[in-house]
Amino acid sequence: MTIFSHEMKQNKNMLIIWSLSVGLLIFVCMMLYPQMQGQMEDINKVYSSMGSFSEAFGMDRLNFGTVMGFYGIEGGNILGIGGAFFAAMTGIGMLSKEENAHTAEFLLTHGVSRKRIVAEKLLAVLTIIVIFNAVCIGLSMVSFKIIGEDIAMKEFFLFHLAQFIMQCELAFICYGISAFIKRGGIGIGIGIASMGYFFNIILNISDKAKWLKYVTPFAYSDAADILSKAEIKGDLIAVGVFYVIIGVAVAFWRYCRKDVVS
């Protein structure tokens, strides 16, 4: 597990910065809830009557005046965007950086198989995403405790489960792509995450774009749907898991066959 340990050390600073940044942003937003609670009814009326804008961000399906509605809109957007960017950036650089930094030939000439490299780096990506979500969930739960509000546990954990699967899907799709590239991966990763987010906005406001729910992982991780219905979309989760499997399979297939440039 030497490669796994090395990747965890290399990504330690990025993991700390991103997990604390996203987690603390959610925490700070939840700290504002008690001060805004008295104005929530008026704010909710305004948000829910903004037509397509409300539909795009799910504000027509959540009650901003309740603590879970507030968490879904504020925390959901922060975790959705931040988690997607972090996962994509983590996945896209894992394999490509070895060739870019000219360290791949060092590993391969010291008896380390390509399958082992891919497998241990894959485990590192998964572990990093698990830790990221654990920090965000922990800070979210602490914020609820501090402001004295109860968490709707079923909705809360279904939402975070969907977010975790969404991040894994993006990370492993990008992981598969990283086996094909040598450099410039960060831009590709952010682009894929951004495209998925905007596809979901289009999906929310256009009946003619329903097919996009099979393309973007944000379709099944949308806080508005999960928190308002207390359920996740099993069929879309299955599609997301299928993309995860494809991403992993492509990573093994490509990296085990490519010519590594020294």
Side-chain angles (χ1 to χ4, degrees):
M1 300 296 282
T2 305
I3 299 171
F4 170 80
S5 300
H6 176 71
E7 288 300 336
M8 294 304 296
K9 290 177 182 177
Q10 272 206 327
N11 288 277
K12 180 180 67 175
N13 290 338
M14 185 175 77
L15 174 59
I16 292 172
I17 291 170
W18 273 87
S19 58
L20 288 180
S21 295
V22 174
L24 287 174
L25 274 174
I26 297 172
F27 181 88
V28 170
C29 282
M30 294 308 296
M31 290 298 100
L32 298 176
Y33 179 76
Q35 285 73 38
M36 299 176 64
Q37 194 170 11
Q39 308 166 27
M40 286 301 180
E41 187 175 344
D42 293 334
I43 295 174
N44 189 59
K45 288 179 181 177
V46 172
Y47 278 179
S48 61
S49 61
M50 295 174 69
S52 295
F53 183 84
S54 297
E55 295 173 5
F57 297 98
M59 292 184 292
D60 59 324
R61 287 164 285 162
L62 285 175
N63 185 353
F64 200 67
T66 65
V67 68
M68 290 306 296
F70 183 84
Y71 181 74
I73 293 173
E74 298 295 339
N77 280 309
I78 293 171
L79 181 59
I81 299 172
F85 282 178
F86 174 71
M89 290 169 61
T90 300
I92 201 70
M94 273 293 175
L95 293 174
S96 61
K97 67 183 179 182
E98 297 297 342
E99 198 166 355
N100 186 37
H102 304 290
T103 54
E105 66 270 19
F106 173 81
L107 291 173
L108 296 174
T109 55
H110 282 74
V112 181
S113 70
R114 296 193 182 203
K115 287 183 179 179
R116 179 183 167 187
I117 293 172
V118 177
E120 290 199 30
K121 283 176 173 286
L122 184 68
L123 181 59
V125 172
L126 180 61
T127 304
I128 288 168
I129 294 175
V130 168
I131 295 172
F132 171 83
N133 281 276
V135 172
C136 292
I137 290 172
L139 287 170
S140 296
M141 296 182 76
V142 170
S143 70
F144 274 88
K145 185 71 173 178
I146 291 176
I147 64 176
E149 296 286 345
D150 294 327
I151 303 175
M153 298 303 291
K154 179 181 179 181
E155 290 88 338
F156 181 83
F157 282 110
L158 283 176
F159 166 66
H160 282 282
L161 174 62
Q163 287 290 315
F164 172 73
I165 297 172
M166 178 267 285
Q167 292 161 20
C168 286
E169 180 180 341
L170 288 171
F172 293 144
I173 287 173
C174 289
Y175 189 71
I177 294 172
S178 73
F180 290 85
I181 61 177
K182 300 176 184 178
R183 58 182 63 86
I186 297 299
I188 296 173
I190 292 176
I192 291 172
S194 300
M195 184 170 61
Y197 181 76
F198 286 110
F199 277 173
N200 190 57
I201 292 177
I202 296 170
L203 172 63
N204 286 339
I205 62 177
S206 174
D207 291 333
K208 296 181 179 179
K210 294 302 180 184
W211 59 273
L212 286 174
K213 66 183 179 181
Y214 299 110
V215 177
T216 171
F218 289 89
Y220 61 76
S221 60
D222 193 334
D225 280 338
I226 298 170
L227 297 181
S228 62
K229 299 176 182 176
E231 61 181 25
I232 55 178
K233 299 173 179 177
D235 57 336
L236 298 185
I237 292 285
V239 173
V241 172
F242 173 74
Y243 288 145
V244 166
I245 294 171
I246 292 297
V248 172
V250 167
F252 274 97
W253 174 80
R254 174 59 180 169
Y255 198 78
C256 290
R257 288 164 174 77
K258 71 184 295 187
D259 293 324
V260 176
V261 179
S262 61

